[in-house]
Structures are given as C-alpha cells and as structure tokens.
Amino acid sequence: MATPSALDRTLSALADPTRRGVVDRLRQRPHPAGELAAAFDMSPPAMSRHLRVLRQTGLVEENIDADDARVRVYRLRPEPFAALRGWLDEVESFWEDQLGAFKAHAERTRGTKPPGGRKS
Amino acid sequence: MATPSALDRTLSALADPTRRGVVDRLRQRPHPAGELAAAFDMSPPAMSRHLRVLRQTGLVEENIDADDARVRVYRLRPEPFAALRGWLDEVESFWEDQLGAFKAHAERTRGTKPPGGRKS
DNA sequence: TTAATCATTCACCCATTCGTTAACGACTCT
DNA sequence: AGAGTCGTTAACGAATGGGTGAATGATTAA
C-alpha cells in the first residue's frame, strides 16, 4: 500500500484501547514513559512501541525531562485531533445538508420496507 | 479481551482506508453492495466483510432494495459519528480548559530544546 | 570508575485481519 | 422448472500488530 494517509494513521493509532487510554490520561498532565507503562500494567517495551505510534502520527510529543535526562515526558499535541474533527465535520455535514429532504424522505422510508415508489 | 468498547469498534472500523472510503462514498447517496465492490475494485466477498464490520459498529445500515430483493442497499447512520465527536470534544477540551495556562507555559517550554534558558 | 536506572530497539511468538477462490442461499426472469 | 444474478458465508494463505524477554545506549548516583 502506498503510505497510509495521515487520517489512516491517526485513526489506527486511536483504535487501540491502550493508546486511547494514554491519550485520555495525558489530558490530565504530561507523563513520563515509565509512569504510563506502570499505569497500564505493561512492560516498558510494549508501552514504548505504543508511544512511538502516537509520536509518529503527531498525537503526542516527547520531551527530555529537565531534571533527569533519562526520562522522556510525553504530552498531547492538538493537530491530529483537529484534522480528525475536520473529517468528522465533513461526514456529519451529510445529515445537515439533507436534513429537510431527509426528514421528508424518512417519513416515507421509515423502517426497512419503503412504500412503493417505483416499478419496472 | 473483554469485548471492545463501542468507540474501539468505531475507530477500528474507520481506520481502514477502504471502509473510510465507503463512508465517504455513502455521503453522496446510498449504494448497493455490488456497486461498492466495483467502485473499490475489490471482490464481492471482501467488500461484504467490510460492510459487515461497518454494520456491526452501527456506522451503516442495510436495506433490501424495493425493486429487487437480491440487492442490499447500504446507507450511513449518524449515531457512531456522534459518539466519536463526543469523545473528540472531551479530548479537545483539554486545550480549551488550559488555554490561558497553556499559552503561558508554552512560552517557557516552546520546542524540545530550549536555548540557553537555565543552567550553564 | 562502577553500578543502577530509564527507555529504547531487537528477535521472536501468538492472534487478528485483509485478501482470494469456492460453495451456498435467495431472488429474478424466461 | 431452470438458468442467471446478487450477496453472503466458509476455508485458506499472507501480512500486520501487540505482547514478551534480552540486549543496547544514555544518564545518574555511589
């Protein structure tokens, strides 16, 4: 496949429960990698891989702790979320656009069995 | 695993380019399964599996065509998108909440390696 | 300098996922 | 009824993804 789009990578990253849990946790405050591994009861290598995925999609950024250069502190970045929102807005505009027509149409097609609209 | 959450399933479903392509295409109008398979140059069974995934997460609904009961017509459903938006709103509230403090903080921590701010 | 700590990458296993072809059930049409 | 069409499920191979423990690099502490 020809390099997945940014949206592909963002959605794939967020589809994993652990990674979405990390995102939720980072909403509170930045966290060191070790804390995250412990919080999710997971080996450091496993968490490191998750963090790399999140980093590669730009969902988080890594910083070296000022007081101890061994620890990497992770925090959220807004851009990919904004992009996801943009796509979601587009999709949802479907219902707004067609609201009037849709409502009228829904009246007639409610359920699985539409009324007789047409014939051969 | 303890049955993935609805959000897990929604995000996993949308992470696949083909399935997201189907969603984009269904924004225009409902489509029969066969049209979708052809549009993505994919065997009917493959598309059928994608459609099942989308159906199981509630992203699409299946209806029997009124004029030919062999064809299944697929259309978008709004609920899972609304749920996704709800989570996204929560996450993004992070920046709104902390906007003032964040901006001030960002002044001091901009970039990964601050120039000579502290120490020797 | 030597030992300990934080986090990464590496090599490997197991489970899931996406695609294919073949077979099947349901419906349409002559 | 019989042939043809639409879409599904079934069975299988290839690729992907997430987990582990071992080894590596970098930094701190004794």
Side-chain angles (χ1 to χ4, degrees):
Chain A
M1 71 186 155
T3 305
S5 76
L7 210 46
D8 283 329
R9 285 179 293 119
T10 299
L11 286 163
S12 298
L14 294 176
D16 183 273
T18 299
R19 287 192 291 262
R20 212 171 55 260
V22 168
V23 167
D24 283 334
R25 185 165 274 255
L26 291 184
R27 286 179 51 203
Q28 310 309 318
R29 56 181 168 81
H31 283 267
E35 268 185 35
L36 292 171
F40 290 88
D41 195 38
M42 178 174 294
S43 68
M47 179 55 69
S48 186
R49 284 171 59 94
H50 284 302
L51 291 171
R52 177 169 56 179
V53 171
L54 291 170
R55 214 185 316 133
Q56 284 171 342
T57 73
L59 285 160
V60 305
E61 76 179 17
E62 180 192 81
N63 289 291
I64 308 289
D65 185 283
D67 298 328
D68 184 345
R70 290 172 301 178
V71 328
R72 320 282 181 93
V73 179
Y74 285 88
R75 72 180 60 201
L76 288 183
R77 278 168 49 82
E79 289 84 354
F81 295 100
L84 175 54
R85 170 179 293 277
W87 178 77
L88 195 56
D89 284 345
E90 264 192 32
V91 174
E92 289 193 305
S93 73
F94 167 74
W95 288 281
E96 297 174 11
D97 290 351
Q98 304 194 347
L99 196 59
F102 178 73
K103 284 168 76 175
H105 184 67
E107 289 301 316
R108 291 181 286 108
T109 61
R110 172 161 317 157
T112 312
K113 189 70 186 73
R118 116 191 196 80
K119 305 190 146 79
S120 49
Chain B
M1 69 187 167
T3 306
S5 77
L7 210 47
D8 283 330
R9 285 181 291 118
T10 299
L11 286 163
S12 297
L14 294 176
D16 182 274
T18 299
R19 287 192 292 263
R20 213 171 54 258
V22 168
V23 167
D24 284 334
R25 186 165 274 254
L26 291 183
R27 287 178 49 204
Q28 311 308 318
R29 57 181 168 81
H31 283 267
E35 269 186 33
L36 293 170
F40 290 88
D41 196 37
M42 178 174 294
S43 68
M47 179 54 71
S48 184
R49 287 175 61 90
H50 284 303
L51 290 171
R52 177 167 59 178
V53 171
L54 291 170
R55 213 186 316 132
Q56 285 171 341
T57 73
L59 285 160
V60 305
E61 76 178 18
E62 178 192 82
N63 289 292
I64 308 289
D65 186 281
D67 298 327
D68 184 345
R70 289 172 301 177
V71 327
R72 320 280 182 93
V73 178
Y74 285 88
R75 72 179 60 202
L76 288 183
R77 278 170 49 82
E79 289 84 353
F81 295 101
L84 175 54
R85 169 179 294 277
W87 177 76
L88 195 56
D89 284 345
E90 266 192 29
V91 174
E92 288 193 305
S93 74
F94 166 74
W95 287 281
E96 297 174 12
D97 290 351
Q98 304 193 350
L99 195 60
F102 178 73
K103 284 170 75 174
H105 185 66
E107 290 300 317
R108 290 182 285 109
T109 61
R110 171 163 314 160
T112 309
K113 190 62 189 78
R118 307 170 109 255
K119 298 185 59 170
S120 56

